[in-house]
Amino acid sequence: MSEIIEIIIFGTLRGAIFALAAFGFSLVLGVLGIVNFAHGVFVVLGALITWSLTAQIGINIVVASLIAAGSMGVLGVFIQKVFIDRVFKLHPLMILVQTFGVAVVATQLAELAWGGGERSLKVEFPGPALLTIGDIYIPTWDIVIFVISLIAAGVLVMIMQMTPLGRAVRACRDNIDSASLVGVDVGRVFLITMGICGIWSGLAGALVITLKPTGPYMHFFWTLDAFLVVVIGGMGSISGALIGGFLYGIINFAAYYYLPNQAPAIIFATLIALLMIRPQGLFGLGTTVRK
Amino acid sequence: MSKKTMAIKRRTFLGSAMGAASMVALGAPAIAQRKTVHFGASLPLTGPYEKVSKVYKDAYDLWTQTVGGKVSVGGQDADVKWTIYDDENKAARTAELTERLISSDKVDCIVGTYGTDTVLAQGAIARKYERITMQAGAASARVDEQIGGHTTFTLIGPSRNYPTLAIDHLAKQNPKPKTMAIITMDDPVYQEFAAGAIADAERHGIKIVLNEVLPMNTQDLRPTVLKIKRAGDVDIIYNTGWDLICIKLIQECVALDVNPKAIVGGHLTTNPVVKETLKGQLQYIYGITNWLPQMAYKDKYYANCQAFADKFQATYNYAPTYHAAMAYAIPYIYQHVIADGSEGDPLDSKIMRKRIAALNNLESVWGPIKFNDKGRILTPGVPVLQWQGTDPKVVVLAPDALANGKDLYPMPAFNKRG
Amino acid sequence: MSAILEVTKVGKRFGGVEAVRDLSFSVAQGEILGMIGPNGAGKTTVFNLISGVVEPTNGRIVFDGKDIQGKRPDQICTAGIARTFQTSSLLSGMSARENVHVASLFRREKGGRTADQITDQALALCGLTGIAAKQTDQLTTSEQKRVEVARAYATGARLIMTDEVVAGLNGVETDQILDILQGINREGITLIFVEHDVRAVMRVSHRLVVLAEGTLLAEGDPQVVARSADVIRVYLGSRYADAR
């Protein structure tokens, strides 16, 4: 019994990071209606910039994480303005190809800057390294990261619900034409959405590099993970992505625990089944059809 | 196809004829016409082996730089030329590219790709054209069985024997380990490592409590370490996987406070990323390695392995792994065997095959080179090392001839270290 | 009265189809212009052209002295033109109030009021105060139409175009929404009123334009235009027109 509890706990802890990395993906899919294949680049670059600022320059990790997240926000805006915006009116497939290209180029550049290998950061956290619940050991740092992820999700939900900006983003997520006809500058909302996506995904990267080695080539895993989280949770909704992240974390952990060698197949089979039963995701706001 | 075989034969014939002619005419070594020696290979430059492929490519390149882009073919200087393709770690692609290297690019010396299936594919095509290859990228016994000796020479020891010295060594420790958990990557060559480790452990009466087979793209080792933790007392954790798997394994053992008597990090603990990432956590971790810069091997150009390692580091801006020394040795061996033109065209496959098979402990930075009749290098086993000290350094523990320190065993618990 | 909107020789082709052809009309500041025409006459296209959803193939559209053809919908909206939709275009996943609030956020002139105050006023004007918290998918058709109107009003528009705003409503609901529109008009806001329900059009319109096959068929006083033979012909068929 405690085996299952452990799997659920560890899966949920990992799931928070998956969720944090997927919020932006979900928003961009919901608002712009595009699958951004360069999404994982935000996570990986956020991680590597945090590493450079902390390990090479000696900046405090909290500040470094915020700078990294912020610069990913700028990168998001840049990618939107320079690339996606220009082909947006073409076929959606063109955006897939284009963002894939952006991912390849960004990865090559990152490899020039950081090399092809992995980097990781060790954070010295005051207090005990492990917390115990009954006979279950939980690394304290994992809990810290879990809490940071939840706070980041909460901030995003508040921005979306309470601010004019959030309303405008939600309006566009819902119906771009209608939003535009009540005065919402859709182009600007797209820019902001990509900016938000960059910031939150970059923050995820900053946390990831304290958990495991991260290298430029890993961007695609993160794109895929984000995609799967959104498939489970449903696009566009932050709480959906959060719960999707937790579920994905648990499915992932359980699969690698019980049948590691078949894990990828099990994970994808679960997702295919989910898509058949509920194509809009468990908490989706609507159908996954491009508006 | 038969036309191509004809062409090769004709070239061989002409080569020997001209050799004979010039010998008669001038009394000098043959093959004056040859201006270049063409080396060719495919490597999995993209895909999961991207990083290690780069080491091979750089090592081939370092050899070219070391010889100044010129080698002697039967006593005559010739320019070195390379053609390297990306086989994407796909066997079919490798076969196609090898076909191209032989028929259109007309390479003289085929060097190895990396990975068992691709090496086998390369060997199958080379065999069709009665050519030879030399490879350092597949330790699998399947290479010996299918293409070893007649087509392919292999510079890496058999994977079956990788763990043997390490497990023999650990079995001698006090208290004697009784149980072992093994992490196996789901790929034939890693399966062979694991099979070897299991057989060796069982020979010493060490019980295998868990053999966890992981997909090649595994991202998270926590499920695995949790399973080890729940498996009860585990004295040895043996990782057959690569550096990143070793890092994640140790990070998760720290995270979940899993403390066996010994952790064997695998054959790549000396890759710099491992120490950079784990820092003090690497202390007490065992590893195995075919090659270290500390080792006392040498060749014509480098007085010891350290000199080779320094040159590599200075040229490519990263420290060489054992792959670098091994890959560098391939063109070096070819260079040695083609220098002599006394038996006809030294680039003729038959002559090269005969000479490579006859090598008797040729000195190289990879160690003495001598092959068995399956074309497999003869090695005494893979040396065992342990990382020691708070700023961990490598100490070699076995074999005795190379040993420069004593074990720290059993490993103290992660959370009870200063 | 001066013209707030002038449409001059505007045309729109979709592929080979000429949806609107050489259309010219103007709307005076403060008037309610009724626009009628049979299905396919191009009324919705005219709205789309004015609101920037589609760009005219040729011609000029001048609002408040400035050319607006080719501008984006949000720019035209902030310039002062809003519209409602034939089928509800409300933002789902939001309450009625949030729908109106979004519209108030981007208006140029707030007159010293906050977006919240504007929202509340618009909701009150349209009789929605009591149901402001309802999610859009819970609203009745009549409520949806009124949220559309409130939303258009909240943008701060000086010209509001309503598209089939009474379609699907019963008599009481129709009267209610026409009263609201007339109230909005009394504040000096110009209206273009597209409707199938000729009775409703006759009731509120100061002036009437009739479109047929993408071009202007008739224009003028509602009572006069409605009786013209041409109009009756396109609406009811030539038999009725000739019989008169």
Side-chain angles (χ1 to χ4, degrees):
Chain A
M1 189 58 203
S2 78
E3 189 179 55
I4 293 167
I5 294 172
E6 269 183 295
I7 287 167
I8 291 172
I9 290 175
F10 288 129
T12 309
L13 288 173
R14 280 287 186 274
I17 280 281
F18 288 132
L20 187 56
F23 291 149
F25 189 86
S26 175
L27 266 185
V28 167
L29 181 59
V31 176
L32 282 79
I34 63 168
V35 169
N36 177 11
F37 263 118
H39 183 78
V41 169
F42 295 134
V43 179
V44 167
L45 288 186
L48 293 172
I49 290 173
T50 308
W51 178 83
S52 279
L53 293 175
T54 311
Q56 293 185 305
I57 303 177
I59 293 174
N60 173 289
I61 183 152
V62 177
V63 181
S65 304
L66 295 176
I67 294 174
S71 38
M72 286 308 97
V74 173
L75 180 65
V77 170
F78 177 81
I79 289 175
Q80 171 62 24
K81 197 161 184 105
V82 176
F83 300 107
I84 298 175
D85 193 42
R86 308 204 170 182
V87 299
F88 191 73
K89 290 194 176 73
L90 304 179
H91 196 272
L93 191 61
M94 296 310 293
I95 297 197
L96 283 191
V97 173
Q98 188 195 38
T99 57
F100 186 77
V102 169
V104 170
V105 172
T107 306
Q108 291 287 323
L109 292 176
E111 281 178 357
L112 285 180
W114 285 282
E118 304 84 10
R119 311 280 181 177
S120 70
L121 270 183
K122 259 176 81 179
V123 179
E124 300 301 337
F125 185 69
L130 288 171
L131 296 177
T132 46
I133 302 172
D135 60 347
I136 300 173
Y137 289 83
I138 301 170
T140 316
W141 183 243
D142 283 30
I143 294 174
V144 173
I145 285 188
F146 181 77
V147 172
I148 294 172
S149 298
L150 286 190
I151 293 171
V155 169
L156 191 51
V157 168
M158 273 168 54
I159 290 174
M160 296 300 286
Q161 293 295 334
M162 313 246 202
T163 67
L165 183 81
R167 286 224 164 84
V169 172
R170 284 166 62 211
C172 288
R173 185 177 67 193
D174 205 65
N175 186 332
I176 285 174
D177 297 333
S178 178
S180 142
L181 284 163
V182 295
V184 176
D185 181 345
V186 172
R188 216 174 123 241
V189 168
F190 283 3
L191 277 182
I192 291 166
T193 304
M194 282 296 282
I196 289 177
C197 170
I199 293 171
W200 264 257
S201 311
L203 180 65
L207 299 181
V208 162
I209 201 159
T210 68
L211 285 175
K212 60 180 184 183
T214 301
Y217 68 93
M218 292 178 182
H219 70 92
F220 192 67
F221 294 122
W222 284 105
T223 303
L224 199 61
D225 286 336
F227 204 155
L228 298 182
V229 166
V230 172
V231 167
I232 297 174
M235 73 168 182
S237 131
I238 304 302
S239 47
L242 189 64
I243 296 170
F246 292 155
L247 288 177
Y248 179 62
I250 294 168
I251 294 170
N252 208 305
F253 199 95
Y256 274 95
Y257 186 91
Y258 288 112
L259 283 168
N261 203 22
Q262 283 80 44
I266 292 171
I267 292 164
F268 278 96
T270 313
L271 290 162
I272 290 166
L274 256 176
L275 272 175
M276 283 162 66
I277 302 162
R278 250 187 99 78
Q280 72 274 41
L282 294 179
F283 306 93
L285 294 178
T287 51
T288 39
V289 176
R290 191 168 190 272
K291 283 176 213 145
Chain B
M1 192 173 74
S2 64
K3 205 172 132 195
K4 276 163 190 160
T5 320
M6 285 275 293
I8 290 163
K9 285 195 172 138
R10 194 165 61 98
R11 195 197 65 181
T12 313
F13 169 76
L14 283 177
S16 352
M18 276 188 297
S22 49
M23 290 256 275
V24 171
L26 306 166
I31 332 301
Q33 280 76 7
R34 183 161 289 282
K35 294 279 197 297
T36 59
V37 178
H38 195 165
F39 288 80
S42 69
L43 281 168
L45 293 167
T46 55
Y49 296 129
E50 191 175 319
K51 280 192 297 170
V52 71
S53 291
K54 181 172 181 338
V55 179
Y56 278 77
K57 195 162 171 271
D58 289 343
Y60 294 153
D61 179 58
L62 181 65
W63 171 79
T64 311
Q65 290 191 29
T66 301
V67 300
K70 279 192 187 313
V71 290
S72 163
V73 181
Q76 297 290 310
D77 273 0
D79 291 331
V80 171
K81 180 181 167 191
W82 280 92
T83 300
I84 295 181
Y85 295 116
D86 178 10
D87 61 38
E88 302 158 27
N89 194 32
K90 290 178 186 135
R93 183 86 183 123
T94 307
E96 191 185 309
L97 291 169
T98 307
E99 190 99 41
R100 189 195 297 177
L101 285 166
I102 295 172
S103 338
S104 353
D105 301 328
K106 310 252 183 266
V107 296
D108 300 301
C109 302
I110 303 168
V111 305
T113 175
Y114 185 88
T116 306
D117 290 339
T118 47
V119 165
L120 289 173
Q122 185 189 48
I125 301 300
R127 182 178 194 164
K128 190 171 85 177
Y129 290 99
E130 296 173 28
R131 300 291 298 271
I132 62 163
T133 70
M134 204 181 305
Q135 67 98 6
S140 171
R142 286 160 62 205
V143 175
D144 303 23
E145 289 156 15
Q146 296 179 25
I147 49 177
H150 51 86
T151 302
T152 296
F153 294 90
T154 299
L155 263 74
I156 189 164
S159 53
R160 159 65 191 87
N161 296 352
Y162 263 46
T164 304
L165 271 183
I167 290 178
D168 288 353
H169 179 79
L170 284 169
K172 284 186 286 192
Q173 303 303 310
N174 183 30
K176 186 185 178 225
K178 295 190 190 66
T179 53
M180 183 163 99
I182 184 158
I183 292 167
T184 309
M185 304 317 288
D186 190 11
D187 178 83
V189 71
Y190 295 96
Q191 305 264 23
E192 283 180 36
F193 290 165
I198 291 166
D200 291 332
E202 283 169 349
R203 184 158 47 81
H204 290 290
I206 298 169
K207 195 177 153 217
I208 306 298
V209 291
L210 188 69
N211 176 18
E212 193 76 340
V213 181
L214 298 180
M216 296 290 275
N217 62 354
T218 297
Q219 292 292 301
D220 192 356
L221 264 281
R222 183 165 295 174
T224 308
V225 171
L226 181 63
K227 214 162 164 181
I228 292 172
K229 183 179 175 140
R230 298 190 69 93
D233 278 336
V234 172
D235 292 332
I236 303 173
I237 301 177
Y238 194 104
N239 168 41
T240 66
W242 49 87
D243 46 2
L244 201 58
I245 301 293
C246 166
I247 291 170
K248 290 177 180 178
L249 169 69
I250 292 164
Q251 284 178 330
E252 293 303 339
C253 284
V254 175
L256 298 187
D257 205 31
V258 171
N259 298 294
K261 293 190 176 68
I263 297 176
V264 184
H267 60 294
L268 291 176
T269 62
T270 51
N271 278 7
V273 65
V274 179
K275 186 180 164 185
E276 276 164 26
T277 308
L278 293 172
K279 304 196 170 72
Q281 288 170 348
L282 188 55
Q283 202 182 354
Y284 306 108
I285 303 299
Y286 285 88
I288 58 173
T289 185
N290 279 294
W291 185 85
L292 282 173
Q294 291 85 317
M295 288 176 176
Y297 305 133
K298 62 175 183 178
D299 70 7
K300 252 162 80 175
Y301 306 100
Y302 298 104
N304 50 50
C305 298
Q306 192 61 54
F308 170 80
D310 292 346
K311 177 72 179 172
F312 191 96
Q313 167 88 45
T315 313
Y316 304 105
N317 203 24
Y318 64 93
T321 57
Y322 76 89
H323 303 103
M326 192 164 58
Y328 164 90
I330 296 177
Y332 181 80
I333 294 169
Y334 272 122
Q335 178 192 356
H336 179 83
V337 302
I338 64 178
D340 175 7
S342 64
E343 295 171 80
D345 184 354
L347 290 165
D348 178 72
S349 294
K350 277 200 209 71
I351 293 173
M352 283 200 282
R353 181 183 299 121
K354 191 176 125 204
R355 286 182 179 165
I356 293 169
L359 288 172
N360 190 8
N361 293 327
L362 170 69
E363 281 194 318
S364 79
V365 292
W366 178 238
I369 306 291
K370 181 174 181 156
F371 297 99
N372 69 12
D373 61 349
K374 284 288 174 194
R376 174 75 66 173
I377 195 165
L378 291 162
T379 57
V382 183
V384 183
L385 60 87
Q386 187 178 32
W387 290 88
Q388 297 185 354
T390 44
D391 175 25
K393 298 265 187 310
V394 168
V395 173
V396 179
L397 302 171
D400 294 341
L402 292 174
N404 61 0
K406 294 249 173 295
D407 292 70
L408 295 175
Y409 176 96
M411 172 183 102
F414 284 110
N415 64 0
K416 296 205 172 60
R417 299 180 187 178
Chain C
M1 275 192 288
S2 64
I4 189 167
L5 182 77
E6 273 179 284
V7 174
T8 314
K9 294 196 172 222
V10 164
K12 179 66 192 174
R13 266 190 301 278
F14 294 106
V17 182
E18 237 178 348
V20 171
R21 165 166 51 97
D22 249 359
L23 177 68
S24 300
F25 67 91
S26 66
V27 188
Q29 166 69 44
E31 79 171 333
I32 300 180
L33 178 75
M35 187 179 283
I36 60 171
N39 278 331
K43 299 176 305 247
T44 299
T45 304
V46 169
F47 272 21
N48 286 342
L49 287 166
I50 295 171
S51 58
V53 174
V54 296
E55 207 176 318
T57 314
N58 53 276
R60 280 180 81 192
I61 303 172
V62 176
F63 176 69
D64 206 11
K66 293 187 192 76
D67 278 42
I68 58 165
Q69 74 275 0
K71 289 216 182 333
R72 292 197 314 262
D74 60 291
Q75 292 171 329
I76 291 172
C77 178
T78 31
I81 301 178
R83 67 180 285 191
T84 72
F85 283 82
Q86 212 169 326
T87 50
S88 172
S89 67
L90 297 180
L91 303 165
S92 61
M94 287 193 187
S95 65
R97 186 173 197 288
E98 281 179 306
N99 262 282
V100 179
H101 192 257
V102 169
S104 70
L105 288 171
F106 300 96
R107 65 188 278 169
R108 206 175 275 165
E109 294 293 329
K110 289 200 171 79
R113 293 172 302 167
T114 65
D116 280 320
Q117 288 166 334
I118 293 166
T119 304
D120 290 335
Q121 190 219 337
L123 288 166
L125 184 76
C126 298
L128 294 164
T129 309
I131 55 140
K134 262 199 191 176
Q135 290 294 303
T136 42
D137 52 1
Q138 323 250 287
L139 297 172
T140 64
T141 308
S142 157
E143 287 164 349
Q144 282 178 13
K145 300 271 185 185
R146 280 182 282 140
V147 175
E148 290 251 359
V149 171
R151 200 168 61 159
Y153 176 78
T155 63
R158 284 168 294 140
L159 170 66
I160 295 177
M161 307 188 289
T162 64
D163 196 355
E164 305 271 342
V165 79
V166 304
L169 304 188
N170 64 29
V172 178
E173 291 165 345
T174 301
D175 285 346
Q176 185 186 17
I177 205 157
L178 293 181
D179 286 345
I180 291 167
L181 288 173
Q182 283 174 319
I184 288 173
N185 179 244
R186 276 194 293 277
E187 290 184 20
I189 295 169
T190 310
L191 296 178
I192 303 179
F193 188 73
V194 160
E195 205 58 64
H196 255 110
D197 182 340
V198 178
R199 204 172 48 90
V201 178
M202 300 302 274
R203 191 183 130 187
V204 297
S205 301
H206 302 150
R207 205 156 60 84
L208 198 59
V209 295
V210 185
L211 300 187
E213 289 169 10
T215 195
L216 191 71
L217 184 71
E219 180 181 11
D221 179 80
Q223 300 302 326
V224 177
V225 169
R227 288 196 183 90
S228 87
D230 282 349
V231 173
I232 292 168
R233 186 176 299 117
V234 300
Y235 259 92
L236 302 173
S238 51
R239 206 153 46 90
Y240 290 91
D242 297 341
R244 284 183 60 91

